[in-house]
Amino acid sequence: MDDVIQKNLDTRFDEIDRRFDAIDLQFVEFRNDMNEGFNRIEYFLTHHWTSNFSLMIATNIAVFGTVIASLAFLSSYLK
């Protein structure tokens, strides 16, 4: 009788081990997907942002110049 109980327990523990292995594999895949996504975000922020930094500065200078020109025109118009 003890052998039957032991075999039954062994098969149940083997099944539990297989389930944990399957879950562990899913976590590994999920972690790899997350790392890939974070790497894509990091690449986008570091490469695209730095390459567009000069464009952002030029845009800000243009907007600032337009504001100054508009204020100068408005002040001369209101005199």
Side-chain angles (χ1 to χ4, degrees):
M1 183 74 169
D2 287 338
D3 288 338
V4 173
I5 293 173
Q6 186 63 38
K7 286 181 182 180
N8 194 7
L9 284 174
D10 286 343
T11 56
R12 287 186 180 195
F13 280 125
D14 287 342
E15 183 179 336
I16 291 170
D17 282 343
R18 283 193 299 273
R19 287 181 182 174
F20 275 116
D21 288 343
I23 291 171
D24 191 39
L25 182 62
Q26 289 175 346
F27 275 118
V28 167
E29 291 174 3
F30 181 68
R31 188 174 61 236
N32 288 339
D33 290 344
M34 283 181 49
N35 286 339
E36 183 181 324
F38 286 137
N39 287 339
R40 275 188 264 128
I41 291 171
E42 181 187 20
Y43 176 81
F44 178 79
L45 290 176
T46 55
H47 290 83
H48 291 283
W49 189 79
T50 53
S51 66
N52 290 332
F53 189 69
S54 59
L55 180 62
M56 289 178 2
I57 291 174
T59 303
N60 287 334
I61 291 172
V63 168
F64 187 65
T66 304
V67 168
I68 290 175
S70 298
L71 289 176
F73 175 75
L74 188 61
S75 70
S76 67
Y77 181 75
L78 291 178
K79 282 186 179 179

